[in-house]
């Protein structure tokens, strides 16, 4: 079974609109972390936002927020006020057992976001 | 500037040759990682190292080897045993596992390897 599932291969959004990129995960570990990364066409992975499994509030970083629904095992990324520079591939990733098992990340297959005028 | 460097950006090799990809970081991070990315796919972990002179296999270690002789450096060798080596290779680093926080991984710019 896939540990991280991103069901949207591609998304379009108009400039200045908000967009939600979906991510569901599968783990039996009570302690885990969820990450979102942005990969522009240059290839470098840029860290956007982190949510710990025990965090009570949804994470926010500027225009990025993470809609964390633990019971549904979803960690959707919301980008508000989209900009042309947001056009990129977006990856959801999970780290399981952060205290004992290392800092290994499992990545989803990504969502290609295109921001249009 | 602090960061992770990978060189070269593009690398071409003939089939059957071993090739070593470099990864250097000046972030003083203890942990380093190598990932492989194929077109339209997410990243898959090849090897990782939590401390100098120690490393562990990731999910797709066959046909690859690494060394960690210095904290700053984590080179990856793609051997002739790797059946399908053409891919985009990304190196990453993170702070010590014992510290609190998200412990996000910071990535280098990547090396695109093409085996002819």
């Amino acid at each position: 079974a896939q540990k991280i599932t991103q069901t949207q291969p591609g998304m379009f959004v108009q400039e200045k609109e908000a967009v939600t990129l979906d991510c569901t995960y599968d783990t039996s570990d009570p302690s885990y972390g969820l990450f979102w990364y942005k990969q522009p066409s240059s290839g470098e992975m840029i860290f956007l936002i982190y949510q710990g499994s025990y965090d009570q509030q949804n994470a926010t970083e500027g225009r990025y927020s993470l809609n964390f629904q633990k019971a549904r095992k979803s960690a959707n990324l919301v980008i508000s006020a989209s900009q042309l520079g947001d056009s990129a591939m977006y990856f959801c990733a999970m780290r399981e057992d952060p205290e004992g098992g290392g800092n290994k990340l499992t990545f989803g297959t990504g969502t290609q976001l295109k921001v249009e005028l | 500037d602090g960061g992770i460097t990978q060189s070269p950006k593009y690398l071409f090799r003939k089939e059957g040759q071993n090739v070593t990809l470099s990864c250097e970081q000046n972030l003083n991070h203890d942990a380093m990682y190598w990932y492989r990315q194929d077109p339209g796919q997410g990243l898959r972990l090849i090897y990782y190292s939590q401390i100098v002179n120690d490393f562990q296999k990731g999910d797709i270690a066959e046909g690859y080897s690494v060394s960690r002789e210095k904290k700053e450096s984590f080179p990856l060798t793609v051997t002739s045993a790797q059946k399908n080596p053409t891919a985009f290779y990304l190196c990453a680093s993170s702070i010590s596992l014992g510290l609190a926080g998200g412990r996000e991984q910071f990535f280098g710019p990547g090396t695109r390897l093409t085996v002819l």
Side-chain angles (χ1 to χ4, degrees):
Chain A
Q2 294 289 327
K3 288 193 174 183
I4 294 285
T5 302
Q6 295 180 254
T7 58
Q8 306 154 312
M11 290 278 287
F12 289 91
V13 65
Q14 286 205 313
E15 195 181 21
K16 301 178 186 173
E17 296 290 314
V19 62
T20 298
L21 306 184
D22 294 341
C23 173
T24 58
Y25 60 92
D26 183 25
T27 181
S28 57
D29 197 315
S31 178
Y32 53 91
L34 296 157
F35 301 78
W36 276 92
Y37 282 86
K38 172 184 178 181
Q39 187 179 42
S41 56
S42 60
E44 188 168 357
M45 297 285 283
I46 301 167
F47 166 72
L48 296 178
I49 197 166
Y50 166 79
Q51 179 85 43
S53 58
Y54 294 120
D55 293 343
Q56 296 296 314
Q57 293 187 323
N58 287 345
T60 60
E61 288 286 345
R63 293 187 298 111
Y64 304 108
S65 61
L66 200 151
N67 184 1
F68 182 46
Q69 298 186 45
K70 196 169 182 177
R72 297 180 60 184
K73 293 188 175 178
S74 75
N76 299 338
L77 176 71
V78 181
I79 306 175
S80 63
S82 297
Q83 302 171 356
L84 294 177
D86 294 335
S87 294
M89 191 73 135
Y90 289 81
F91 290 97
C92 179
M94 177 173 65
R95 182 191 64 231
E96 296 175 279
D97 190 21
E99 301 306 325
N103 197 18
K104 296 188 295 180
L105 295 182
T106 301
F107 285 82
T109 52
T111 295
Q112 182 72 49
L113 177 67
K114 174 76 172 170
V115 180
E116 301 175 314
L117 290 170
Chain B
D1 280 2
I4 302 174
T5 57
Q6 292 184 245
S7 61
K9 179 76 171 173
Y10 299 94
L11 190 55
F12 297 87
R13 280 295 182 270
K14 290 184 179 179
E15 194 172 345
Q17 289 182 332
N18 290 359
V19 59
T20 298
L21 281 57
S22 76
C23 177
E24 304 279 333
Q25 55 99 359
N26 60 4
L27 300 168
N28 200 32
H29 286 168
D30 287 310
M32 296 187 75
Y33 314 82
W34 274 106
Y35 292 91
R36 170 184 172 134
Q37 186 179 25
D38 294 285
Q41 300 291 319
L43 279 64
R44 292 184 291 166
L45 182 65
I46 304 172
Y47 268 99
Y48 66 104
S49 168
Q50 299 179 30
I51 198 167
V52 174
N53 292 323
D54 185 52
F55 49 83
Q56 289 81 39
K57 292 181 179 180
D59 300 318
I60 55 165
E62 185 175 351
Y64 300 97
S65 66
V66 293
S67 62
R68 186 85 188 276
E69 297 176 2
K70 298 187 300 181
K71 187 176 185 177
E72 302 80 21
S73 179
F74 191 41
L76 173 74
T77 297
V78 184
T79 75
S80 56
Q82 169 50 234
K83 289 181 173 41
N84 188 16
T86 294
F88 186 52
Y89 291 87
L90 284 154
C91 178
S93 69
S94 69
I95 63 173
S96 171
L97 300 173
L99 299 177
R103 297 191 290 277
E104 65 267 25
Q105 295 180 15
F106 295 86
F107 284 80
T111 292
R112 196 167 298 278
L113 173 65
T114 302
V115 175
L116 305 171

